[in-house]
Amino acid sequence: MIFIILSSFIILSLALLSYELRFRIQDVFLGLIPQSKQQYTHVKQFVQKFHRAASPEHIQSDWYLQQWWILIASFTLFGSIMMFTFTQPLTASKFESEYLKKVDPQIYALLDGQILTAPTEVDEQLIIEALQEESLANRPVISAQSLNLNNEDIHIPVTHIHPDISTADRKWHKMNPRFKQRLLVVFKIMREQHGYDLVLLEGYRSPERQNSLATNSNITKAKGFQSYHQFGLAADIAFKRNGKVVISERDPWAMRGYELYGQIAESVGLTWGGRWKSIRDFGHTEYRMPGLKKTAEMAHQLIHEGQLQAQTFQP
């Protein structure tokens, strides 16, 4: 489309500058007009006026006719640009922007309409290596979710992360945009203001996976649709340093990162697991969406809102 616009503008510009080129264009144009002799004569006379207007002897006397060439070229260029603008395909960013503008004006205002792009998925091998390092060091790390009497997501620390975390779902489009964009804001601030690169360990978690994890009470007591993960409204993160994933909370650098992460997450309306009074989970954040009902129907709706744009805008 851009090539067509530029080509049209170049042709019209050449027509303004070249006296001979306009003469040839006139011949071609007149030969294509199937009109009566009288109409042909009028058109020929009109075209000849434009033709003579650019000749050296008529430049000053017929200067006003030359302005028509400029006007025609300008309207053609303007019309092409307008057509290009209004026929652009809907992009994923526009889709998500309009969605947030309608359902979550708070985060839309925070973003100022600038939808953030999710980073690439972390290499699974890096996560496996981080888990192996933690297991060998026998250090307590971030656990999976459980459920307390107040229906809050609480994580129980264990001596090692459950092995299934290496195959957890880390697809950003499966998270609801209301949570996803808040989390991306946190990622952006952590990187730009504090120099921490964050990686997603797990975002959406299927009810089947949740039930499977719940069979081990040392991992979680929350069953399917009792965790915010099933609604695309929760995530577990870690850090990346020198090309490696860092999960340990006993690492002073990582622990400082978790503290900053929690402060920033809370500033954009997220709940941080490191603030819980019982058992703290420094890498966990969730968005407790007002009016949320923890049902299978609601989970399907919220996850579908995130997946719709990925399905719609696949290349």
Side-chain angles (χ1 to χ4, degrees):
M1 186 63 189
I2 296 177
F3 177 77
I4 295 175
I5 294 174
L6 290 176
S7 299
S8 301
F9 183 74
I10 291 173
I11 292 173
L12 288 172
S13 298
L14 290 175
L16 287 172
L17 298 175
S18 175
Y19 181 83
E20 295 181 357
L21 180 59
R22 290 208 302 273
F23 183 81
R24 293 178 182 178
I25 293 175
Q26 169 192 309
D27 289 341
V28 174
F29 180 75
L30 292 177
L32 296 176
I33 301 179
Q35 295 181 350
S36 65
K37 185 176 180 179
Q38 184 178 4
Q39 291 174 325
Y40 173 79
T41 301
H42 288 315
V43 171
K44 185 176 180 179
Q45 291 174 350
F46 181 75
V47 172
Q48 285 176 345
K49 285 184 178 181
F50 275 81
H51 176 68
R52 290 194 302 268
S55 62
E57 60 272 16
H58 292 86
I59 288 180
Q60 294 184 357
S61 61
D62 295 335
W63 63 269
Y64 62 94
L65 291 176
Q66 299 175 26
Q67 308 309 309
W68 282 97
W69 285 104
I70 300 175
L71 187 62
I72 292 172
S74 301
F75 271 112
T76 302
L77 179 61
F78 178 75
S80 300
I81 294 175
M82 293 298 293
M83 183 173 63
F84 174 75
T85 302
F86 288 107
T87 57
Q88 287 188 90
L90 186 65
T91 63
S93 294
K94 286 185 178 180
F95 178 91
E96 192 160 314
S97 178
E98 290 301 318
Y99 167 83
L100 290 172
K101 184 177 182 180
K102 178 180 179 181
V103 303
D104 199 338
Q106 178 184 1
I107 188 62
Y108 180 82
L110 177 65
L111 294 169
D112 194 25
Q114 299 179 3
I115 299 302
L116 301 178
T117 303
T120 56
E121 184 177 338
V122 65
D123 187 353
E124 181 180 317
Q125 185 59 36
L126 294 178
I127 295 179
I128 294 176
E129 291 174 358
L131 294 175
Q132 292 173 343
E133 183 177 341
E134 282 302 298
S135 179
L136 292 175
N138 193 28
R139 295 172 178 173
V141 292
I142 307 168
S143 62
Q145 286 185 326
S146 66
L147 192 69
N148 70 358
L149 296 178
N150 295 324
N151 199 31
E152 294 180 341
D153 290 323
I154 301 296
H155 292 55
I156 300 177
V158 291
T159 57
H160 59 84
I161 298 178
H162 56 84
D164 287 341
I165 193 66
S166 62
T167 56
D169 196 315
R170 292 180 290 277
K171 303 296 183 183
W172 283 88
H173 71 264
K174 290 187 178 181
M175 290 189 283
N176 188 272
R178 282 176 257 199
F179 171 68
K180 171 186 170 183
Q181 287 298 319
R182 282 179 166 84
L183 188 61
L184 288 175
V185 169
V186 178
F187 271 50
K188 178 180 174 67
I189 295 175
M190 285 290 291
R191 180 180 65 256
E192 295 181 354
Q193 297 186 12
H194 303 289
Y196 281 87
D197 286 323
L198 275 59
V199 297
L200 181 65
L201 291 180
E202 183 169 19
Y204 168 74
R205 184 185 298 159
S206 69
E208 293 77 17
R209 173 174 166 79
Q210 187 71 39
N211 286 329
S212 176
L213 296 176
T215 58
N216 185 343
S217 59
N218 290 325
I219 295 178
T220 180
K221 294 181 181 179
K223 296 182 180 180
F225 303 114
Q226 292 181 334
S227 166
Y228 283 95
H229 280 284
Q230 277 81 77
F231 302 85
L233 299 174
D236 297 313
I237 63 94
F239 304 103
K240 193 173 183 180
R241 179 180 58 189
N242 299 328
K244 292 185 177 181
V245 173
V246 180
I247 298 178
S248 174
E249 60 195 40
R250 288 192 175 184
D251 184 314
W253 174 85
M255 192 59 218
R256 174 56 180 163
Y258 284 127
E259 293 173 350
L260 293 170
Y261 173 70
Q263 293 172 12
I264 299 170
E266 290 175 335
S267 71
V268 298
L270 298 179
T271 297
W272 177 47
R275 196 73 67 188
W276 290 331
K277 294 181 180 180
S278 51
I279 307 230
R280 296 183 293 176
D281 182 1
F282 298 99
H284 175 86
T285 52
E286 60 195 28
Y287 177 51
R288 298 185 176 182
M289 193 178 74
L292 175 69
K293 296 181 179 180
K294 289 188 174 182
T295 63
E297 293 76 16
M298 180 62 74
H300 174 76
Q301 176 184 332
L302 294 179
I303 295 303
H304 179 69
E305 289 174 355
Q307 290 181 316
L308 179 61
Q309 63 171 305
Q311 296 169 358
T312 305
F313 303 108
Q314 283 180 347

